[in-house]
Amino acid sequence: MEPTLRGGRDYALLAPVTAYQGEGIYLVDVSGSLDLFRVSNTFDGEGGLLLSQEKRGGTHRLSREQFQALVVGIVVADIRTRDERFLRSIA
């Protein structure tokens, strides 16, 4: 999800969900691998959802039923690390 969340530097607090809760960043199980996706409504009249990742590009369209089978959680807060040197010295 870079640049919104930088891999290995930023942290996200997730709440477990089993269905679409509105636009946001979700943790989704894609082929046995968990990954973060920005999810939005496609407004296609069929309840479709659009999953995308900023830097990786590409999008996936899923029905709400397909999404419900794959969704694990939603990002409710994130921590953007400013100077990771201090995090390493605390641990």
Side-chain angles (χ1 to χ4, degrees), residues 26-71:
Y26 287 81
L27 184 65
V28 180
D29 184 351
V30 180
S31 302
S33 177
L34 297 174
D35 213 345
L36 293 172
F37 290 87
R38 184 172 305 282
V39 180
S40 56
N41 192 334
T42 61
F43 297 106
D44 62 2
E46 299 176 14
L49 300 172
L50 184 66
L51 283 69
S52 61
Q53 292 181 314
E54 295 163 346
K55 204 169 193 177
R56 293 183 190 170
T59 59
H60 306 280
R61 290 183 183 271
L62 297 177
S63 69
R64 288 189 188 234
E65 293 78 21
Q66 291 170 316
F67 182 74
Q68 286 177 198
L70 302 174
V71 66

Side-chain angles (χ1 to χ4, degrees), residues 16-29:
V17 295
T18 58
Y20 181 68
Q21 302 296 315
E23 294 190 355
I25 299 174
Y26 287 81
L27 184 65
V28 180
D29 184 351

